[in-house]
Amino acid sequence: MAEVQFNYTGRIKLQPQDVVASYRVEGDLQHLALEWNLEQYPLRSSCYVILEVEAVGTTDIRRFELGDLGDGARSTSLSFQKLRNPELIRLRFKVVELTEVGLPMIRAELDGIYPSDESDNSSSRSFLKIVKDDDLDVSWQLRFDDNLPVLYLSG
């Protein structure tokens, strides 16, 4: 029997290739570049885009309204005060529309976007995220943050 998934809100689940993000850290600022192409989805141009930025393993969350969806293809960049563990940020991308009575309704979303690090110019990539943690009592520790393995190294 085939697995059936129900979506009672009618939300469109965006595909990971539809929203691409990268970041870099400069001093106390974190810069985030975001590009999306949603032209293939049945979304109204009057919808607006919201981005939530979360530092995994902390209570640090930022929310940005990125304006109208328009034709569905756009790019933007944001700069904000650096989050704790900037290499562990996770993004939620939402397309929202106001209903006839003025209530916001999420029409499309993509959760779990992990932006790439623009400053990482190595030709090889680790399959583990690596984070420096000065409070460790051991030289390294492997933890699972949101079911993703993260290697913590002591300072």
Side-chain angles (χ1 to χ4, degrees):
M1 185 170 164
E3 180 180 329
V4 178
Q5 293 184 356
F6 293 98
N7 182 346
Y8 294 104
T9 63
R11 282 184 197 160
I12 297 169
K13 297 289 183 190
L14 303 174
Q15 297 302 306
Q17 66 270 16
D18 297 329
V19 182
V20 179
S22 63
Y23 78 94
R24 74 180 189 287
V25 176
E26 292 177 356
D28 285 342
L29 285 180
Q30 190 158 353
H31 305 281
L32 183 67
L34 191 67
E35 187 174 325
W36 63 88
N37 187 348
L38 310 178
E39 294 172 324
Q40 68 274 27
Y41 296 102
L43 297 166
R44 294 189 177 115
S45 61
S46 59
C47 293
Y48 59 97
V49 176
I50 292 178
L51 181 71
E52 291 178 356
V53 180
E54 173 188 10
V56 175
T58 71
T59 57
D60 231 349
I61 297 176
R62 310 279 166 82
R63 183 180 171 143
F64 302 95
E65 285 197 28
L66 303 179
D68 288 341
L69 180 63
D71 66 1
R74 206 168 121 207
S75 63
T76 191
S77 58
L78 304 166
S79 295
F80 48 90
Q81 196 68 24
K82 181 175 75 172
L83 298 167
R84 289 180 284 167
N85 297 340
E87 51 287 307
L88 289 180
I89 60 174
R90 179 178 63 191
L91 310 177
R92 284 187 192 96
F93 185 89
K94 299 177 182 179
V95 179
V96 179
E97 181 178 37
L98 291 178
T99 64
E100 292 114 18
V101 294
L103 296 174
M105 177 74 75
I106 299 172
R107 294 296 182 196
E109 68 178 341
L110 179 59
D111 192 9
I113 305 167
Y114 291 91
S116 61
D117 184 353
E118 290 178 6
S119 63
D120 184 7
N121 55 8
S122 64
S123 60
S124 63
R125 303 255 322 151
S126 171
F127 67 94
L128 291 175
K129 291 243 182 196
I130 300 174
V131 177
K132 183 179 171 186
D133 186 348
D134 294 329
D135 296 331
L136 277 181
D137 295 330
V138 294
S139 34
W140 63 271
Q141 187 177 54
L142 182 65
R143 298 183 202 157
F144 287 87
D145 296 337
D146 288 340
N147 295 323
L148 294 173
V150 179
L151 180 63
Y152 288 85
L153 302 175
S154 65

